[in-house]
Amino acid sequence: MSTLSHPPAAPALGAAHTRFHIILTCIIAALAGLLFGLDIGVISGALPFIAHHFGIGDQMQEWVVSAMMVGAAFGALGSGWMAKRIGRKYSLMIGAFLFVLASAGCAFAWSPAALIVGRICLGLAVGVASFTAPLYLSEVAPQSMRGAMISLHQLMVTVGILAAFLSNTAFSGSGNWRWMLGVIAFPAAVLLFSLLLVPASPRWLMSKGREDQARKVLEKLRSDSGAIETELREIKQQLQVKQEGWGLFRHNPNFRRSVWLGMLLQVMQQLTGINVVMYYAPRIFGLAGYGSPHDQLWGTVIVGAVNVTATFIAIGLVDRWGRKPILYLGFTVMALGMGILGGLLQMGITTAVQQMAAVAMLLIFITGFAMSAGPMIWILCAEIQPIKGRDFGIAVSTFTNWVANTVAGATFLTLLNTLGHAQTFWLYALLNATFLGFTLWFVPETKQVSLEQIERNLMAGKRLRELGH
Ligand code: BGC
């Protein structure tokens, strides 16, 4: 093969080789989503054993659960700054390193306070991963794969949750919560070392003026040399728009609206009650009449499997139905699932049929979430921010996701004890029903609309729900 010396050299790599590179890179980055999921899933199985070991009550248990979310909120906020300074790849590596340390730290915790500190550190890692991985994926994937990559990330989150539920079940015989928490250090170490293989984000390299390196990266990830030059040109053009984050937020009321919408979307996602189920599933199975830890843990595995499976419904429908119809259907299904579950708890669950009906409602709720708000909210949050305030807007919405997650995690047991069992689930049913209205009034339909069009509409002062018109 001849070697050309002038700059826009055609890549010597074949299409199959390029494809291999891009898929490998995306899979490695999406592993960060897997860890996010593992850490969400692990606590529900470990919590009863932790509570027994340290003899702690409901309030302390809520703290153990929520400490990670508090860390994640700050991790997400800080990673906006870190990803800009040291780049996406090294931010992810720092996140992975923290995952290893904090997972081991939690496994060796000698007191509830030590465990809480360990979980805050774990949260920092989760926060970094949940902001940086989708950002990196969207920057290395070819344009035609961008939407799929955000969905792949959510899919990995659900696979991580399922894997944690399975590992919880495996360790439950011995009640060994230390292994449940500690085992996550191994996939984290795999992530850390595999990240050595991935390239830096070409967009970040360009933002640092390292065009030659960016071209080299793209030569590995794109098969068409013409497309590489076009992409480099486009990145250059985009970079002329200076990211103004906070300044733009202070001075531009239209940008404030999109930041507000991103926050609202994430509050809606979390207040569906999804993580109440993820963190306290065994407890909910207990309320539904399944007393043995064995049944409860297998119940959570089924919840995890349904969560993964229903995510495929969203992936298949999102570009055909659009975001809003899917959200309408999802919130309706979730409101019904939570409402009927509350009704069953109110009547008293005594027969086997009632027990099965309660589990069915829980699974219907999970299906409603996974096929709608799970992936859809992350997609919308990435789509609505103008380029000038993109990093800032997404960092704020990710931060909000974790704050709302903390509130839900930190209040569930208290709600059960104060409002009552049925009433707690009715409250969530009511919230889901309210979100139908919010979707109608505030959420834009962004299907097949270019990001530039959304931005033009936002800056022209169009209503939020009309941003996609
Ligand atoms: C949410 C997480 C949730 C997960 C469940 C994600 O989209 O942000 O909070 O635990 O979905 O699959």
Side-chain angles (χ1 to χ4, degrees):
M1 194 166 288
S2 69
T3 42
L4 303 172
S5 51
H6 46 84
L13 304 166
H17 200 240
T18 313
R19 232 185 133 65
F20 170 76
H21 251 96
I22 181 80
I23 291 177
L24 185 73
T25 302
C26 289
I27 288 180
I28 293 174
L31 266 180
L34 189 86
L35 281 165
F36 168 174
L38 282 170
D39 281 304
I40 286 209
V42 72
I43 198 65
S44 69
L47 194 61
F49 299 112
I50 293 172
H52 180 75
H53 179 100
F54 291 120
I56 53 176
D58 279 354
Q59 211 166 11
M60 198 54 154
Q61 288 183 47
E62 283 173 342
W63 273 108
V64 170
V65 171
S66 315
M68 186 187 90
M69 280 69 89
V70 174
F74 288 100
L77 212 55
S79 58
W81 174 83
M82 187 162 76
K84 196 166 164 188
R85 285 202 66 123
I86 63 166
R88 288 68 165 121
K89 172 176 168 165
Y90 291 109
S91 291
L92 280 173
M93 289 185 78
I94 289 182
F97 183 62
L98 258 177
F99 267 123
V100 176
L101 278 189
S103 307
C106 288
F108 289 110
W110 57 92
S111 68
L115 185 57
I116 288 174
V117 173
R119 286 198 37 93
I120 291 179
C121 296
L122 195 62
L124 289 173
V126 175
V128 172
S130 63
F131 173 81
T132 318
L135 178 70
Y136 177 80
L137 282 167
S138 73
E139 291 180 348
V140 292
Q143 192 165 354
S144 58
M145 287 168 69
R146 238 170 249 169
M149 284 304 118
I150 302 184
S151 309
L152 173 71
H153 183 257
Q154 170 67 18
L155 189 66
M156 292 300 261
V157 173
T158 62
V159 171
I161 294 175
L162 174 61
F165 287 169
L166 281 167
S167 137
N168 290 346
T169 310
F171 287 115
S172 68
S174 59
N176 199 332
W177 62 268
R178 292 186 187 278
W179 265 107
M180 288 182 194
L181 300 183
V183 77
I184 298 180
F186 295 104
V190 171
L191 173 66
L192 180 60
F193 289 109
S194 11
L195 279 168
L196 289 171
L197 303 174
V198 308
S201 150
R203 195 172 194 290
W204 179 77
L205 287 169
M206 291 288 284
S207 75
K208 297 285 164 197
R210 288 149 67 174
E211 184 170 342
D212 284 348
Q213 279 170 281
R215 179 176 288 105
K216 282 210 182 83
V217 170
L218 285 177
E219 280 170 2
K220 280 196 181 151
L221 300 176
R222 308 283 184 270
S223 48
D224 171 358
S225 59
I228 295 175
E229 291 310 315
T230 315
E231 190 163 344
L232 286 172
R233 230 185 357 262
E234 276 170 4
I235 297 179
K236 235 188 247 168
Q237 262 166 15
Q238 284 188 349
L239 286 172
Q240 290 181 347
V241 185
K242 256 186 76 197
Q243 285 260 336
E244 286 178 25
W246 174 241
L248 190 67
F249 182 80
R250 276 181 47 208
H251 296 120
N252 188 320
N254 284 321
F255 179 47
R256 284 205 288 276
R257 293 190 308 139
S258 67
V259 172
W260 181 84
L261 180 60
M263 293 170 75
L264 177 75
L265 285 165
Q266 291 288 10
V267 167
M268 283 162 61
Q269 191 205 49
Q270 290 301 312
L271 296 192
T272 55
I274 181 63
N275 286 317
V276 159
V277 181
M278 294 299 154
Y279 303 141
Y280 298 104
R283 180 86 167 227
I284 299 176
F285 278 102
L287 295 178
Y290 292 90
S292 88
H294 174 266
D295 288 356
Q296 293 175 3
L297 282 166
W298 276 107
T300 61
V301 171
I302 296 172
V303 164
V306 170
N307 191 27
V308 175
T309 316
T311 303
F312 285 101
I313 306 180
I315 295 175
L317 291 184
V318 61
D319 287 320
R320 280 193 281 157
W321 283 23
R323 287 69 169 140
K324 284 181 84 156
I326 297 183
L327 284 176
Y328 287 135
L329 181 62
F331 286 128
T332 308
V333 170
M334 287 189 274
L336 286 175
M338 283 290 192
I340 299 175
L341 180 58
L344 288 164
L345 288 168
Q346 179 73 4
M347 280 170 12
I349 298 177
T350 45
T351 67
V353 174
Q354 285 167 331
Q355 279 188 334
M356 281 193 292
V359 172
M361 286 309 124
L362 200 61
L363 297 181
I364 284 179
F365 168 81
I366 295 292
T367 306
F369 176 86
M371 62 164 288
S372 68
M376 232 48 67
I377 298 294
W378 291 106
I379 294 177
L380 279 162
C381 281
E383 289 174 334
I384 55 172
Q385 302 302 346
I387 182 161
K388 270 190 168 184
R390 206 152 176 259
D391 290 3
F392 178 86
I394 298 179
V396 171
S397 58
T398 309
F399 171 76
T400 310
N401 171 287
W402 289 107
V403 172
N405 193 326
T406 313
V407 172
T411 51
F412 181 61
L413 296 180
T414 309
L415 285 176
L416 285 182
N417 294 337
T418 50
L419 278 186
H421 297 168
Q423 290 74 5
T424 301
F425 289 93
W426 283 337
L427 173 67
Y428 277 110
L430 186 69
L431 284 167
N432 279 293
T434 314
F435 298 152
L436 276 171
F438 284 10
T439 306
L440 181 70
W441 278 98
F442 300 116
V443 179
E445 179 53 79
T446 52
K447 181 186 90 170
Q448 316 283 358
V449 187
S450 75
L451 299 186
E452 291 71 29
Q453 183 62 38
I454 297 174
E455 177 161 355
R456 265 197 300 276
N457 290 341
L458 176 74
M459 292 307 175
K462 275 200 175 180
R463 287 190 191 155
L464 289 173
R465 66 168 182 269
E466 286 165 4
L467 290 184
H469 287 190

